Amino acid sequence: MKEHARECNTEIQKHESVYVVSHIDADGLTSAGIICKALQRAGINYEMRFVKQLDDNIIEDIANINPQLAIFTDLGSGMLDSINANGINAIVSDHHQPRGEGKYHLNPHLFGANGSYQLSGSGTTYILANEIGQNKDLVDIAMVGAIGDMQHLKKGHLTGVNRLLLEEGVKNGHLSYEKDITLFGKQTRPVYKLLQFSSDPFLPGLSGDEDACIGFLHDMNIRFGGDERWRRWIDLESAEKQRIISGVMQHCIKSGLQPFKVERLIGEVYVLLNEREGTEMRDASEFSTLLNATARYDHAETGLAVCMGERGKAYEDAKKLLGEHRQNLVNGLKLVKENGITQLDHIQYFDAGNKIKETIVGIIAGMSITSAGRRDKPIIAFADSDDGVKVSARGTQDLIRKGLNLSQAMSDAAGSVNGAGGGHDIAAGATIPATGRNEFLNKLDEIIGSQFQKN
């Protein structure tokens, strides 16, 4: 990969300015942050553009702009034929399943690694950035992208090329990792809020109930506050943390939570050593959520500024967006629970219409598998979008083992109704015409049924 990245860099160095196109999720933002920082340091001008999905219209639009060189990060691998057909001089730095061929195409799938869990878009772009110049300090941002892309979930920790980059970051003093509770908000939230807002796993009798969480910690003699403020997870002594973890696990087992869900309470967590303790950027998981909260609400430039080191206004704006994002996720989950999920033979789905923003419907779909749906089928979510209907699909590792490949299924089903789709085996997306919804569902159900049968 490094060797091919070197060839890509030779092409980059021929140009004074570059047109960068990236995706609007945490992995896309960190990829953009890495490539823009590398170009900036190399004295190469760049113009940045974020897109929800790369389709023929956007590619034609880029062709009309006619940039000297376009760099696509965290997208592009599925649209190589269109990029070539439009005569765009392009470098594609992506990790999604490739379709077609490109001269300057950097993608783990081409080098024997799986892009859905062994290397993210940001990791791929980090490899490219280190051929452009000395950019080893950007490894922490690359790991934020990997965590935002859920690359650690398959094994409970980062693996493959991600692991090599992580170890490099640890050796150079940029990162550390440890086994800890996996609940969200260890750096920033009061301890009871960690339990109250836990959605994966959903803690029976605790998730969503503030009084119950406070009572639970009180019964374990955990001191809450001090100096007029609530204590956070990072403020606790090691013995207190151990007491809470044991208590939560026992509570979950008594409540009948399945053992595999209880086990998910503990996992490897990743700390960015160059960031201030007690901020969202210190923890890779919190940082990735902060970024999602910017780009998915049409403020990608705010997330990009934070990725590139801005800690003033951009960070304050991002924090505000994060508060709204969390509330929207809670509301979205509630809506799915109230309206229910429709079961077909091999898939389950819900249609959010215009009630859930198309940019977060995939996140809510992923959360709904554990809280409102069934784990034995992939979940499909529909939401209205400007150019038709946005479809998001999410699976589980168990379903992958049974033969599920959502990237292939979504691409084929969307193609059958004149739409476009793709992604990873475990998570994929598509845009289809509003009139093709039922035909798409039937086709997708059939394709996924045959994937399971083959296995």
Side-chain angles (χ1 to χ4, degrees), residues 22 26-36 73-74 93 120-123 125 141:
S22 199
D27 195 18
L29 270 174
T30 47
S31 302
I34 288 165
I35 196 71
C36 291
T73 63
D74 191 37
S93 173
S120 62
S122 56
T125 306
I141 298 291

Side-chain angles (χ1 to χ4, degrees), residues 102-358:
K103 187 178 179 188
Y104 300 113
H105 182 205
L106 196 64
N107 186 311
H109 288 281
L110 304 177
F111 300 91
N114 187 318
S116 69
Y117 67 96
Q118 292 181 320
L119 190 65
S120 62
S122 56
T124 305
T125 306
Y126 171 78
I127 291 170
L128 175 60
N130 276 286
E131 295 306 322
I132 296 172
Q134 172 52 269
N135 290 298
K136 296 239 182 267
D137 58 322
L138 304 180
V139 69
D140 52 1
I141 298 291
M143 293 302 97
V144 171
I147 299 303
D149 206 56
M150 311 292 187
Q151 300 245 325
H152 57 307
L153 290 188
K154 187 177 173 85
K155 309 272 189 188
H157 55 82
L158 288 172
T159 180
V161 189
N162 282 324
R163 194 89 202 162
L164 300 178
L165 300 186
L166 171 67
E167 295 294 359
E168 187 180 283
V170 169
K171 195 175 89 190
N172 293 334
H174 301 302
L175 291 159
S176 74
Y177 59 89
E178 60 185 342
K179 276 270 194 296
D180 201 349
I181 198 163
T182 53
L183 299 185
F184 183 85
K186 292 183 288 292
Q187 292 286 332
T188 54
R189 285 179 171 174
V191 178
Y192 74 90
K193 291 272 184 204
L194 242 67
L195 305 177
Q196 183 188 341
F197 287 107
S198 175
S199 60
D200 185 20
F202 185 86
L203 309 175
L206 293 174
S207 291
D209 190 335
E210 183 174 300
D211 292 343
C213 295
I214 290 174
F216 178 80
L217 293 170
H218 188 265
D219 293 345
M220 281 194 288
N221 295 321
I222 299 294
R223 189 170 59 77
F224 280 44
D227 311 329
E228 301 296 310
R229 68 178 179 88
W230 292 98
R231 293 167 81 208
R232 300 157 299 181
W233 187 258
I234 56 169
D235 301 321
L236 301 178
E237 303 289 333
S238 175
E240 292 176 305
K241 290 180 180 177
Q242 202 51 57
R243 211 154 73 229
I244 292 173
I245 290 169
S246 301
V248 172
M249 286 188 148
Q250 282 164 11
H251 169 85
C252 289
I253 291 163
K254 272 188 204 148
S255 307
L257 200 66
Q258 292 153 297
F260 76 87
K261 288 186 181 177
V262 179
E263 280 169 18
R264 284 217 300 273
L265 280 164
I266 300 296
E268 199 168 75
V269 301
Y270 306 93
V271 179
L272 282 70
L273 299 176
N274 302 332
E275 298 292 347
R276 203 157 51 86
E277 200 169 36
T279 65
E280 290 84 356
M281 285 84 65
R282 180 84 173 178
D283 176 274
S285 169
E286 288 191 56
F287 198 159
S288 73
T289 302
L290 182 81
L291 294 177
N292 264 330
T294 64
R296 291 179 189 271
Y297 298 93
D298 308 316
H299 291 283
E301 68 295 333
T302 301
L304 179 64
V306 174
C307 278
M308 292 180 74
E310 155 91 59
R311 293 291 174 268
K313 185 179 184 305
Y315 170 49
E316 291 306 321
D317 289 349
K319 270 207 300 194
K320 194 161 156 267
L321 288 163
L322 178 61
E324 293 167 17
H325 176 55
R326 283 181 181 147
Q327 193 53 55
N328 287 339
L329 293 182
V330 171
N331 296 347
L333 269 177
K334 210 166 138 196
L335 183 84
V336 175
K337 277 185 177 166
E338 284 168 5
N339 294 352
I341 294 170
T342 306
Q343 302 295 329
L344 298 182
D345 291 343
H346 309 289
I347 60 177
Q348 53 190 334
Y349 74 92
F350 66 89
D351 191 338
N354 60 3
K355 301 280 195 307
I356 297 175
K357 204 168 160 56
E358 53 158 318

